[in-house]
Amino acid sequence: MKAAVLRSVGADLLIEDVAIAEPRDREVLVRIMATGVCSSDLSTIRGKTGAQLPLIPGHEAAGIVERVGAGVSRVKAGDRVVLSWAPNCGHCFYCNESHPTLCDTYGAAAGAGALWDGTSRLGPAAQPIGHYSCVSSFAELAVVPETGCIIIPDDVPFAVAALVGCAVTTGFGAVVNDARIKAGQSIVVVGVGGVGLNAIQAAALAGAETIIAVDTNPAKTEVAISYGATHFVSAAELDAVDQVKALTGGRGVDAAIECTGHPVAMGNAYAMTRPAGTVVIVGIAPIGVNFAIPAISFPGSKKRIIGSIYGGGVPEQDIKSILALYRRGKLPLDRQIGKRIALDQVNEAFRWLETGVMARTIIEFGA
Ligand SMILES: [Zn+2]
Ligand SMILES: [Zn+2]
């Protein structure tokens, strides 16, 4: 199959012919139809995550089940599916604690660039290529754990389903599951990228009265407002904390969603939040980075700081909710799709992402 392979950090992905093995027990072979180009892929390509190489990136994807391995009962050949980048085993400590995104089995497999049994289906057996988050969708085909396949309705386009596989669910869930925004509340979203826009949209859907978008790039004002932001604060020109406080009567917001992974922005999100409010940290910082808060204020502030990954809940449930809202016309997702490209242009897509082009680039196959 044709695939984009990361062989050294900082270098372009190489388009190669890669062997892919048959799915083993509880595994599924999926023909990838659409895959998004996400900042997490970029972080890995730029060496910020310390992932073992070589690997095939790509984790925001949808496709059609081609074949299933032994013991698979969730899906069959021909099913249309969105892929989860945190498929869980269902029987470890964290699965039993209802934290499927913390699944021990997944964590060990993803850390090793492997599937459940600790081996890869990608590349020649003697020189295997790593799986990325048990997805590796920058390729025509992927072998994934059965639990990574979530069936989607026939009327959901693959490009939309791909976006729901990461950015939409991450931003939506942070607002709904972690910030638990209620109608009439105030929220700040720090970082207006793919995830931030989905957080803004979810806050608007939840009836938040004040939705403040913060970004260092004022050119993002218009798109933030179009997704439901009521205010935009340019972090490059003004003291963003003072501005956000001024917009909330000096008190601060009920909840903050931090999407940049930058330690200064994380501290600002904390400072922008009112006492007893909730700070949700979504942005992934490079390895080795810490963020600081003034310790003397923390006990008396009664603030909660929550780490949020993949929407903070049960991704499969959130994906189903999001697709239901989309199909009822309440969550416009088609507008998030920017350029549609072929796999050969993947390196260009990452350069667009770095320069802040707003809408998501989608790689489509078989067009
Ligand atoms: Zn992603
Ligand atoms: Zn588990």
Side-chain angles (χ1 to χ4, degrees):
M1 64 169 178
K2 195 157 89 167
V5 184
L6 178 64
R7 293 202 175 268
S8 54
V9 294
D12 276 1
L13 301 180
L14 301 173
I15 307 298
E16 300 180 8
D17 267 319
V18 173
I20 183 164
E22 287 296 315
R24 296 185 185 171
D25 288 4
R26 311 283 308 271
E27 294 174 0
V28 176
L29 179 69
V30 177
R31 180 163 295 281
I32 303 296
M33 297 301 289
T35 179
V37 173
C38 176
S39 310
S40 302
D41 298 307
L42 183 61
S43 294
T44 295
I45 291 167
R46 295 288 178 258
K48 293 179 181 170
T49 61
Q52 292 174 45
L53 305 185
L55 60 78
I56 298 175
H59 62 279
E60 185 178 85
I64 301 170
V65 172
E66 187 97 349
R67 275 194 293 287
V68 300
V72 169
S73 57
R74 281 170 70 99
V75 292
K76 60 182 186 313
D79 283 345
R80 305 168 87 251
V81 292
V82 57
L83 300 183
S84 164
W85 56 254
N88 68 310
C89 74
H91 50 69
C92 71
F93 174 85
Y94 285 110
C95 283
N96 287 331
E97 290 283 312
S98 300
H99 292 298
T101 57
L102 299 180
C103 172
D104 288 324
T105 312
Y106 166 74
L115 297 180
W116 277 187
D117 68 356
T119 65
S120 172
R121 305 292 161 269
L122 304 171
Q127 291 167 301
I129 295 171
H131 293 256
Y132 184 59
S133 295
C134 295
V135 179
S136 287
S137 54
F138 291 165
E140 291 171 317
L141 296 162
V143 174
V144 302
E146 174 182 24
T147 56
C149 294
I150 298 159
I151 294 177
I152 56 172
D154 287 344
D155 58 1
V156 176
F158 286 114
V160 166
L163 291 178
V164 176
C166 183
V168 179
T169 301
T170 300
F172 177 94
V175 170
V176 171
N177 298 320
D178 290 320
R180 298 189 180 178
I181 281 293
K182 298 193 214 47
Q185 285 193 313
S186 58
I187 189 167
V188 65
V189 176
V190 181
V192 181
V195 171
L197 284 176
N198 279 290
I200 290 169
Q201 181 168 254
L205 191 64
E209 187 169 12
T210 304
I211 303 172
I212 306 166
V214 177
D215 200 282
T216 52
N217 182 359
K220 294 180 176 178
T221 305
E222 199 176 320
V223 68
I225 301 290
S226 75
Y227 274 71
T230 56
H231 304 81
F232 183 92
V233 169
S234 170
E237 294 166 16
L238 302 160
D239 184 322
V241 175
D242 287 348
Q243 293 295 309
V244 169
K245 286 202 163 171
L247 290 167
T248 50
R251 182 181 286 144
V253 290
D254 295 306
I257 310 287
E258 202 299 307
C259 304
T260 71
H262 193 288
V264 172
M266 292 178 183
N268 283 351
Y270 175 82
M272 290 165 180
T273 304
R274 68 159 168 82
T278 304
V279 185
V280 183
I281 305 288
V282 181
I284 312 267
I287 46 175
V289 167
N290 299 316
F291 86 97
I293 55 169
I296 192 168
S297 71
F298 189 53
S301 79
K302 296 192 73 176
K303 293 184 195 183
R304 297 189 309 144
I305 305 176
I306 299 178
S308 178
I309 190 150
Y310 215 165
V314 177
E316 184 165 353
Q317 290 175 1
D318 289 332
I319 287 169
K320 285 181 175 167
S321 300
I322 288 163
L323 290 177
L325 289 165
Y326 168 73
R327 295 175 76 220
R328 295 202 55 187
K330 294 191 185 296
L331 208 52
L333 299 178
D334 298 272
R335 64 179 173 178
Q336 296 188 25
I337 298 166
K339 289 190 183 177
R340 296 168 186 258
I341 62 167
L343 184 64
D344 314 51
Q345 293 173 273
V346 63
N347 294 302
E348 279 176 77
F350 282 111
R351 287 190 266 278
W352 300 330
L353 187 63
E354 279 180 311
T355 56
V357 170
M358 285 312 301
R360 201 71 149 187
T361 304
I362 300 282
I363 298 169
E364 291 184 312
F365 296 84

